[in-house]
Amino acid sequence: MAATGVGNYRNGTNGGRNSSGSSNKADRTPSSNSNPKNSLKSKSLTSSGLRKSAPASLGAAKNDAGVPGRVRVAVRLRPRNSEEMVADADFADCVELQPELKRLKLRKNNWDSETYEFDEVLTERSSQKRVYEAVAKPVVESVLDGYNGTIMAYGQTGTGKTYTLGRLGEEDTAARGIMVRAMEHILADVSFETDSVSVSYFQLYMETIQDLLDPANDNISIVEDPKTGDVSLPAATLIEIRDQHSFVGLLRLGEAHRFAANTKLNTESSRSHAILMVHVKRSVKGRDSVPLSENGNNSHVGKSLKPTLVRRSKLVVVDLAGSERIDKSGSEGHTLEEAKSINLSLSALGKCINALAESSPHVPIRDSKLTRLLRDSFGGTARTSLVITIGPSPRHRGETASTIMFGQRLDTQLDKLIVEHERQQKAFQEEIEKITLEAQNQIAEVEKSYSDALEKERKKYQKEYMESIKKLEEKWTVNQQKHAIHGNMVPIKADGSDIASRGEGSKVVAAEEMAEVKKLLQKETLLKKAAEEEVNNLKSQLAQSKKSEALGNTEILKLHKMLEDEVCEKEKLEREIAILQSQLLQISFEADETRRMLDRGGSEKLGCLDSEMPQLRSPQLNDSENGDKASIAKLFEQVGLQKILSLLEAEDADVRVHAVKVVANLAAEETNQEKIVEAGGLTSLLTLLRSSEDEVIHRVAAGAIANLAMNETNQELIMSQGGVQLLSTTAAKAEDPQTLRMVAGAIANLCGNDKLQLKLRGEGGIKALLGMVRCRHPDVLAQVARGIANFAKCESRASTQGTKNGKSLLIEDGVLPWIVQNANNEASQIRRHIELALCHLAQHDKNAKDMISGGALWELVRISRDCSRDDIRILAHRTLTSSTSFQAELRRLRIDY
């Protein structure tokens, strides 16, 4: 398959331009195949399949013919590891590289292959320096020039992404990865008198953003600028860098906090996407030429200083977690949930690229936080480099093909996105200029209209003012004349004033009597109204009393009816309980029959044990198992969880046994676990362990608790309710291997929680595990070994992060002799966990003395030489070579290692 539309970065010269000021670019003709998804056979690949350079940037100078391409995709092949040299000795590599043609052939079979083109093809012999110069150096140079840049690594787990990006190279400087080399490049180019460089380092784990430089800051929010679309993380720790040594220290600290797990494909498989953000701020001073003076006497060109400009840019380095197929990686339990989250986020990234490829109106950027974080990394003036890492093994051809197709889609579609973005930007700029011109014209017209209107209004108000003054003057003149006339008039009294006075007195007396009569009449009227209101109130109270009596009689009738209904409901519930007990007995009988059939078939269904144990099913029993699950699901739907849990406290012992079996089978399904805990099922199960003497109940209840203990929140609830003490007590009393296996599985799950280690040990969890080895049953020993390996791994992580000092709690509780004794156990499940536990214990030098005296050193040497698992063998070898105590002991014994 030939990709199109991706150009080259500058070749390392001054700004990527030649002496004439034009940009360097590769002249490539477009592909003759318009469908980017069609593959191109090697025999038909011609020059017409080569790619042309990307279009010019909006930020380029006018005299530039174009800018270097902003999207590059490189492929890097990992050499065969020791396991592949043995397993694939008779098979050829699934890929053939042609670096001089920048092509890669992916073999379908011995006679057919598919050919792909990339910007760079890096062989298994390519050095870290060569990888940096081909993949990262052009991006870093563009960041120093003021552009944003992104470098990503994508590929199957174990193909070398973290090695390519994050290798510190403290022992061998030639092994330094892209992160270290990029910072070295940046620090050499900036001046700390005017410039600054700061970094933040975080991981995207299970869809939460966690600060690798401050682990307590574990839920960082993404902030997006609604206008520009820029993405930032204001809550993340931002540290200014001034020297390379401090930067390497920060990377080391961040890597210690990054989540990793052991899988079949990789001993230290990254379980999160690690993202390094480097913020560069540079001060730039410019000068403009000044023209000659008018008289032409100046013999030189003057210079005028421009204001200082601050140029900000951002480099993002993304170490994507490895994509993986669950059946190949062997992920189980919490590791399985991590793998699902990783694959979902990578799938979301692929969906975005596919949406861009199909010109979909909706690009699902918000489907995951990974795509939201990378939103501003594509298009515009941003520079992006993707290195896809692949392995040569023909066993993983499908994963290799998927990785190559991912790179090809990104390669092709990002160029389309850039062209479309630039087209929109140009149209947007033209529209802005048009709107600005129209606005200026409108403003001029409005200003003129406003000036004319203002002058018109001024004249109008001046005229009205003068008219008002004139009217006031006229009115004042009239008033003056009236005052003059009234001033000359004199009043004259009549001689009969006494008679008039007497007549007026009689009228006054009559008026007073009339007023008194009116007052009395008004008083009587008010009294009458008050009496009428009182009568109406009494009538209303009487009516209300009759109504209340009627309501009371109705309420009494309702109560009688409710009492009758309660009696009927009680009888109905009693009938339902009888039916439920019958169903429980039937389902329990079916489950017991299934379990016995599985035992006879040699593969027991472990529905009540944690999901990390292999669940083997006999093919001939599939129908019975499906029927059993269907019966339980039907019972769950018809009866309800609350009623089933209530039967755990039934007086009838048989009912309790069958009820706990149903709850245990429900707890085997992850979708039911949260409902069981919310309904109080966990508390009921722990109560059964405490109060019951029936070992069948102990076995099944412990199995249900083991399943619930797969969830971190449930683990804390189990510990807070004294679960470890109850499990330890149950283990001390039990003799049945199946009961001990369930109890050991529950404690083993709790051992994998870093926060609970001290409390678990204090409540006897380690002692309980060690006590159960008396059973000697392989299944029990495998669970004990798994718990010890989980505990040792948590201790190793805590020691690396500096949160734990001193000797291992496992060694203090006397577990080391049993570990050494079973390090070469015939059962592979037991041996694998014990070997991992030994390697993790050996990580901390405080344990070295006890391990040497206890014989563990010899087992480590054996594991590093003879272990069938390549990842464990490499881990043991690395541990031995890095420990000064172990090396000193080997030299003392004159053992050349």
Side-chain angles (χ1 to χ4, degrees), residues 497-512:
S497 59
D498 291 339
I499 296 172
S501 299
R502 285 196 296 272
E504 290 296 326
S506 299
K507 291 180 180 179
V508 169
V509 171
E512 290 176 352

Side-chain angles (χ1 to χ4, degrees), residues 780-790 818 829-830 833-834 837:
V780 178
L781 297 183
Q783 290 304 306
V784 172
R786 184 171 68 87
I788 291 172
N790 285 345
W818 185 81
Q829 285 290 332
I830 302 173
H833 290 307
I834 292 297

Side-chain angles (χ1 to χ4, degrees), residues 573-592:
L573 287 174
E574 289 175 351
R575 290 194 299 271
E576 287 183 355
I577 290 174
I579 295 171
L580 179 60
Q581 290 176 347
S582 174
Q583 290 176 336
L584 284 172
L585 290 171
Q586 179 64 26
I587 291 172
S588 177
F589 174 77
E590 292 175 358
D592 289 338

